Amino acid sequence: MAATSLGPDHFIHPNQMSLKSQMSPKQGDHRMGMDRNTSTRGMEGQHRSPDQEVENKHEEKVQYPDRGKDETKAEMGSKTWADLAGEMKIFLWNPEERTCLGRTAKSWGLILLFYFVFYTCLAGMFAFCMYVMLLTLSPYTPRFRDRVSPPGVMIRPYLNGFTIAFNVSQPNTWQPYVDSMHHFLAAYDDKVQEEKNIECVSGQYFIQGGDDSEEKKACQFKRSLLHNCSGIEDPTFGYSRGQPCILLKMNRIIGYRPGAGVPVSVDCKVQKGNESHLRSVDFYPGNGTFDLMYYPYYGKFTHVNYTSPLVAMHFTDVERNHLVPIQCSLHGKGIINDLNSDRFLGRIIFTLRIGK
């Protein structure tokens, strides 16, 4: 059978014509659709972008999330514990390459030398900075003193906080307070003061010149100045009679001159409650003042024998069997005693309870 010509570029073989004539219309349509889909997929495969390939890989990972883990487990499962131990042994020491932890002796020496030099330089820089900073500081006088005045105050005895409670008829309740007072006043013994310190002119500042490193003299403060609260005439400081003595001292501040030429005084009152619970208080020495001759203070390095002046408060008539909150305050020029955020600045609050 001769070939049939459809045009200048298209020819149909006789066998093809016979096959097509034998196919049903539905089979022909199905075949043509398959050919069309095949050609379409081929074109899509030729023109697929890299982004589409990445998306397809991501879809495969989502559909098969454990495929990578299974492969890793398969590789690990091919090694026994003996193999792993052998690899670790080789890593720790490889006799063929003569390496320890993957480094030769020369490599270890170089890296250790580097870190030694590096940290030595750091330490040297730190020491140099500290040396330069210390050159700017004085061991005798603080550089900044603008936040330490006016002074705070403290009391003695101080055992269990700021509550002094005891029963007159039970010596074991007040004996610890007496022992604390004697221990504190040991440095104020008359003989000790006469040996170490000098007598000064009362009522004026004891200003000493000279170099900052020169040792300064200190004025005598004898415990006999405290009279009934000295522990000399009454070794129990009045605790055995229900009339306790309490000592008050100002904190030391280098160069501070309290009162601006006028002695600072002390007074006490009931801080909160019935004022009749505190009926009588005696002050020593004088009328409860800090003499100016004990100021200024020059620091512990040069004012070696300095002893802080004291004011003794003798509570001779306090309501028994009651908690009496007492506030003792400093009064003088430049003194602040009403700052609510600091209960020790220019004042102190404590509680007395005297039982029968």
Side-chain angles (χ1 to χ4, degrees), residues 138-195:
S138 171
Y140 308 105
T141 305
R143 175 179 291 275
F144 301 105
R145 291 178 289 174
D146 56 337
R147 300 188 64 183
V148 293
S149 59
V153 294
M154 192 59 183
I155 60 171
R156 294 292 187 276
Y158 177 76
L159 296 180
N160 301 313
F162 294 97
T163 298
I164 299 176
F166 62 94
N167 295 323
V168 177
S169 60
Q170 298 176 351
N172 63 317
T173 61
W174 48 261
Q175 189 61 45
Y177 298 110
V178 173
D179 294 339
S180 176
M181 294 281 282
H182 279 293
H183 178 73
F184 177 74
L185 290 175
Y188 293 86
D189 286 341
D190 291 7
K191 292 183 178 180
V192 175
Q193 290 292 314
E194 291 173 358
E195 292 175 358

Side-chain angles (χ1 to χ4, degrees), residues 55-66:
E55 291 179 358
N56 292 337
K57 291 181 180 179
H58 179 68
E59 291 177 358
E60 291 179 359
K61 289 183 180 179
V62 173
Q63 293 177 0
Y64 307 102
D66 297 331

Side-chain angles (χ1 to χ4, degrees), residues 70-287:
D70 294 339
E71 294 177 355
T72 304
K73 289 182 179 178
E75 295 177 358
M76 294 293 293
S78 63
K79 295 183 180 180
T80 64
W81 286 105
D83 295 336
L84 295 175
E87 292 180 358
M88 179 60 68
K89 182 178 179 181
I90 293 298
F91 175 71
L92 295 176
W93 171 248
N94 190 333
E96 295 180 358
E97 299 179 1
R98 302 188 65 81
T99 60
C100 178
L101 301 177
R103 292 183 178 274
T104 63
K106 180 179 179 180
S107 177
W108 278 113
L110 290 175
I111 195 170
L112 291 176
L113 178 62
F114 167 78
Y115 281 110
F116 174 77
V117 174
F118 177 72
Y119 285 112
T120 301
C121 293
L122 284 182
M125 292 176 61
F126 176 77
F128 176 74
C129 292
M130 289 294 296
Y131 174 74
V132 173
M133 183 189 70
L134 292 175
L135 287 179
T136 64
L137 301 178
S138 171
Y140 308 105
T141 305
R143 175 179 291 275
F144 301 105
R145 291 178 289 174
D146 56 337
R147 300 188 64 183
V148 293
S149 59
V153 294
M154 192 59 183
I155 60 171
R156 294 292 187 276
Y158 177 76
L159 296 180
N160 301 313
F162 294 97
T163 298
I164 299 176
F166 62 94
N167 295 323
V168 177
S169 60
Q170 298 176 351
N172 63 317
T173 61
W174 48 261
Q175 189 61 45
Y177 298 110
V178 173
D179 294 339
S180 176
M181 294 281 282
H182 279 293
H183 178 73
F184 177 74
L185 290 175
Y188 293 86
D189 286 341
D190 291 7
K191 292 183 178 180
V192 175
Q193 290 292 314
E194 291 173 358
E195 292 175 358
K196 293 184 177 181
N197 298 331
I198 63 173
E199 293 185 359
C200 302
V201 179
S202 179
Q204 63 182 28
Y205 296 120
F206 183 36
I207 300 175
Q208 305 178 59
D211 190 73
D212 290 341
S213 60
E214 183 180 346
E215 184 174 345
K216 303 298 188 294
K217 298 178 181 180
C219 298
Q220 297 178 4
F221 189 96
K222 300 178 181 179
R223 66 187 298 176
S224 59
L225 296 173
L226 302 177
H227 299 287
N228 293 337
C229 291
S230 65
I232 298 174
E233 298 178 359
D234 181 7
T236 66
F237 298 95
Y239 284 83
S240 62
R241 295 179 284 109
Q243 298 177 343
C245 287
I246 297 177
L247 306 177
L248 185 142
K249 62 184 287 290
M250 285 196 294
N251 295 338
R252 300 178 181 182
I253 300 176
I254 296 178
Y256 179 62
R257 304 179 188 182
V262 180
V264 175
S265 61
V266 180
D267 73 346
C268 296
K269 63 181 180 180
V270 175
Q271 191 259 343
K272 188 177 182 181
N274 193 342
E275 295 183 0
S276 63
H277 288 172
L278 180 61
R279 291 180 284 270
S280 178
V281 184
D282 296 331
F283 297 94
Y284 309 105
N287 295 321

